[in-house]
Amino acid sequence: GAKIAGQLNCSGGHFINPNGDALNAQGTIIDGPVFLRNHFKAEGTVLLAGSKIGSQIDCEQASFIKPNGYALIFQEAEINESVFLRNGFNAKGIVSFTGSKIGGRLDCSNGSFINPDGCSLIIHRAEIIQDFLMTNRGTANGTVFLVGARIGGQLNFNKSSFVKLNGYALNAQEAEISESVCLGNGFEAKGAVWLSGTKIGGQLVCTKGAFINPRECALNAQRAEIGQDVLLTNEFKSEGKVVLVGARIGGQLDCSKGFFAKPDGHALNAQEAEIGESVFLKDGCKAEGTISLVGAKVGGQLVCSLSSFIKPDGNSLNAQGAEIGDAVFLCNGFKSEGRVLLVGAKIGGQLDCSQGSFIKPNGYALNAQGIEIDHDALLNNDFKSEGMVSLVGA
């Protein structure tokens, strides 16, 4: 409850009370900045809940230690400028910004957040006026919890590592991000990444990202609203389901050179999705498991040239009832091991399967019954089918 007209500066200080609060500044009004940096160390909770801070908070190169408890609490705080938990910042225990307002950016680049049994960083219902950054080898061992957060800039976790085995590595359900979400360029998640119902004003960029959760969803953006492109490209890797069911994507869905693995189920599930531009599953894109576009609406093309879809015991590509505004290319090195289902699909351009390989012995290799194709159907120039091809009622 103190009122401080200037700054609160504890840089280099050590506050030791492992079984309780090491520093309690709850409800304080501080007109200037707060400095807890330069090898500041707290063993016990640092409590700034409900505080009002007129400038920035800087915790660079600081350590906050409260294993299995709250290491640093900013719940319901109002911070006029930016918060820096970066460049050697280390927390062992929960860091919480629940319900807080940050007038600048939250920068956790090269910071470490460790609470393996629960949440490591909580931004629940918080409002960040600018960017939320955790780049440059930032690490979180424990869930990063962003449910219901509002971020006025970008969410950038490039080159960071999130770990929560058998749980959420990143949970940003129902969050609102005004600009792009970047989970690539070396980003790695071991555990589920959840973007269900999230609103993203820019792109979702997962280029060169790795999403590892083999038994369940690796990346779930069900019902998400994404204003621009979704990029799962260039060495993107998922072990576990990628879910885009019911998502609305204003631009393209580009999975070129991506790898999707869920051999016992859906590798990529975009059922009922609405995609404003084209879908690219090409140039070395590989799926072990079903690619589903059942009932999806695609404004442009569906391009699967030079790709490989493998689900020998089921559907490798299922686009039943899909509406494709332009052409569909399953050609030029396309390979399917399993059924390709285009039953009842509507294609505004041509269906080109030239130089494609469709393999499903003793079953349907290509089932396009009831399909509507506005232009040509091309099954020529080294087209190959090992199994039945059906165009009944086309």
Side-chain angles (χ1 to χ4, degrees), residues 53-327:
I53 298 166
S55 184
Q56 65 179 351
I57 296 175
D58 191 343
C59 301
E60 289 192 11
Q61 294 183 319
S63 294
F64 297 80
I65 301 171
K66 181 68 172 170
N68 303 314
Y70 284 92
L72 180 56
I73 301 178
F74 286 106
Q75 294 180 12
E76 308 296 338
E78 296 182 14
I79 303 145
N80 281 356
E81 297 182 10
S82 296
V83 176
F84 301 107
L85 311 179
R86 64 183 184 182
N87 296 341
F89 172 91
N90 177 41
K92 295 180 180 178
I94 303 167
V95 176
S96 177
F97 285 89
T98 296
S100 292
K101 295 182 180 179
I102 299 174
R105 70 181 185 272
L106 174 58
D107 190 346
C108 303
S109 300
N110 197 27
S112 175
F113 299 80
I114 300 173
N115 190 46
D117 295 329
C119 291
S120 60
L121 177 59
I122 302 175
I123 318 290
H124 180 46
R125 296 186 294 102
E127 182 178 355
I128 302 169
I129 299 299
Q130 297 178 11
D131 303 326
F132 179 15
L133 309 175
M134 190 187 295
T135 62
N136 193 26
R137 298 184 300 279
T139 59
N141 191 345
T143 300
V144 175
F145 193 83
L146 283 164
V147 173
R150 290 187 292 170
I151 299 170
Q154 64 175 318
L155 179 67
N156 190 334
F157 293 159
N158 286 344
K159 297 183 181 179
S160 61
S161 174
F162 290 12
V163 179
K164 185 67 170 75
L165 301 178
N166 302 316
Y168 297 114
L170 170 63
N171 188 347
Q173 297 183 66
E174 309 295 337
E176 297 182 14
I177 298 105
S178 295
E179 298 181 12
S180 294
V181 172
C182 303
L183 307 174
N185 291 338
F187 172 85
E188 182 180 60
K190 294 181 178 178
V193 173
W194 222 260
L195 300 174
S196 177
T198 301
K199 295 181 180 179
I200 300 171
Q203 298 180 324
L204 173 58
V205 185
C206 302
T207 299
K208 295 185 179 180
F211 296 76
I212 313 299
N213 195 36
R215 295 182 181 179
E216 298 293 339
C217 287
L219 173 60
N220 188 339
Q222 183 171 349
R223 298 181 295 100
E225 297 182 16
I226 301 158
Q228 298 178 16
D229 304 323
V230 174
L231 306 178
L232 313 177
T233 62
N234 296 343
E235 301 176 29
F236 169 89
K237 177 183 179 182
S238 68
E239 295 182 15
K241 291 184 287 187
V242 174
V243 179
L244 295 168
V245 173
R248 289 190 287 176
I249 300 169
Q252 63 187 7
L253 171 59
D254 191 350
C255 305
S256 303
K257 299 181 182 179
F259 176 72
F260 301 81
K262 189 70 170 76
D264 59 349
H266 287 98
L268 173 61
N269 189 348
Q271 296 180 23
E272 307 294 337
E274 296 182 15
I275 300 151
E277 298 180 12
S278 295
V279 175
F280 297 109
L281 300 160
K282 63 186 181 76
D283 295 343
C285 177
K286 183 177 181 180
E288 296 178 1
T290 300
I291 300 285
S292 179
L293 294 167
V294 173
K297 295 181 180 179
V298 178
Q301 300 176 340
L302 172 60
V303 183
C304 304
S305 54
L306 280 175
S307 58
S308 177
F309 300 164
I310 300 171
K311 188 72 167 72
D313 58 346
N315 301 321
S316 61
L317 173 62
N318 188 348
Q320 295 187 72
E323 297 181 16
I324 315 297
D326 204 330

